[in-house]
Amino acid sequence: GQNIDQPTEMTATEGAIVQINCTYQTSGFNGLFWYQQHAGEAPTFLSYNVLDGLEEKGRFSSFLSRSKGYSYLLLKELQMKDSASYLCAVSVNNAGNMLTFGGGTRLMVKP
Amino acid sequence: DSGVTQTPKHLITATGQRVTLRCSPRSGDLSVYWYQQSLDQGLQFLIHYYNGEERAKGNILERFSAQQFPDLHSELNLSSLELGDSALYFCASSVASGIPQYFGPGTRLTVL
């Protein structure tokens, strides 16, 4: 099976930078995803890493190290609207590329 | 808006009843995935269909079943409902066997 760990909660200040870590143990790794989810709403796709390294997308960047089973999501220039849960998910190379999600990190951005 | 639609948005029913949740994938997407999200369990994968065929099963109860129709919409049937089935049910779709998956707005099921 898969095991995905990420911190439960984090707090950061508006305008700052925050890094949300995710570690995973899985077989048949096929990619790592980050989703943003506001309470009661659908998860929204943020980023996808399949190779080692950094993927940058505006204020959001995601890093992957496959050998270490480690990823992080970096959010820059934090805004109040970034207060949400951030879900790390791993895709496994089986029939269907199902996603296994971590428990999510609830980020609170304070003024 | 992800392009994935789900109906109904809210559903309130009683224990022992049966309900059907409906999902329409994004145009062109052949894969449909169903997930359950409850407060204490996070997002759990239930089942995946690709072009009408079941491809993978997760932690789906025997009381639950799904199907994908020729027009690619999918339905999740939940029967003999229990209080613990109260949750948000999300549908997601992706192109072919590809990724990423895009999520619909969800159906909030409340079992009383």
Side-chain angles (χ1 to χ4, degrees):
Chain A
Q2 293 81 41
N3 191 34
I4 302 172
D5 289 313
Q6 49 182 133
T8 306
E9 288 187 354
M10 296 183 72
T11 302
T13 305
E14 191 176 15
I17 299 173
V18 70
Q19 177 175 313
I20 302 174
N21 295 325
C22 172
T23 58
Y24 64 90
Q25 292 175 312
T26 187
S27 55
F29 176 83
N30 197 36
L32 189 137
F33 297 79
W34 286 95
Y35 284 83
Q36 179 192 61
Q37 187 179 27
H38 287 96
E41 298 183 9
T44 303
F45 170 71
L46 289 178
S47 69
Y48 165 53
N49 295 73
V50 64
L51 300 175
D52 289 354
L54 188 68
E55 292 285 338
E56 296 188 80
K57 216 176 184 182
R59 294 190 300 114
F60 294 73
S61 303
S62 57
F63 172 83
L64 175 67
S65 169
R66 288 173 298 170
S67 62
K68 295 182 180 176
Y70 168 69
S71 173
Y72 67 72
L73 179 69
L74 195 70
L75 292 79
K76 304 174 189 175
E77 300 168 17
L78 280 172
Q79 302 175 9
M80 299 299 291
K81 67 178 182 179
D82 297 329
S83 293
S85 286
Y86 291 86
L87 311 177
C88 171
V90 171
S91 172
V92 294
N93 191 14
N94 64 358
N97 291 312
M98 57 170 276
L99 290 179
T100 300
F101 283 85
T105 298
R106 192 165 67 180
L107 173 66
M108 189 179 307
V109 180
K110 294 186 172 179
Chain B
D1 185 356
S2 67
V4 180
T5 60
Q6 288 187 250
T7 56
K9 193 172 175 63
H10 299 280
L11 197 49
I12 301 174
T13 188
T15 55
Q17 295 299 304
R18 173 189 168 94
V19 297
T20 297
L21 313 183
R22 183 188 168 102
C23 166
S24 292
R26 295 185 319 159
S27 177
D29 285 359
L30 300 178
S31 276
V32 169
Y33 305 79
W34 285 98
Y35 293 86
Q36 179 192 56
Q37 187 174 40
S38 51
L39 280 174
D40 58 346
Q41 294 242 328
L43 259 172
Q44 300 287 320
F45 167 72
L46 295 178
I47 198 164
H48 168 228
Y49 276 84
Y50 171 76
N51 202 21
E53 293 188 6
E54 181 185 304
R55 294 295 297 271
K57 262 185 175 179
N59 298 322
I60 187 166
L61 300 171
E62 285 191 13
R63 301 183 285 108
F64 295 2
S65 65
Q67 53 184 328
Q68 187 180 25
F69 295 87
D71 67 352
L72 301 177
H73 91 271
S74 177
E75 292 180 358
L76 179 67
N77 300 296
L78 315 176
S79 61
S80 303
L81 285 167
E82 301 175 359
L83 296 178
D85 298 328
S86 294
L88 266 169
Y89 290 84
F90 289 105
C91 162
S93 74
S94 67
V95 293
S97 60
I99 38 186
Q101 298 175 20
Y102 292 91
F103 283 75
T107 294
R108 181 175 293 280
L109 173 67
T110 303
V111 181
L112 300 175

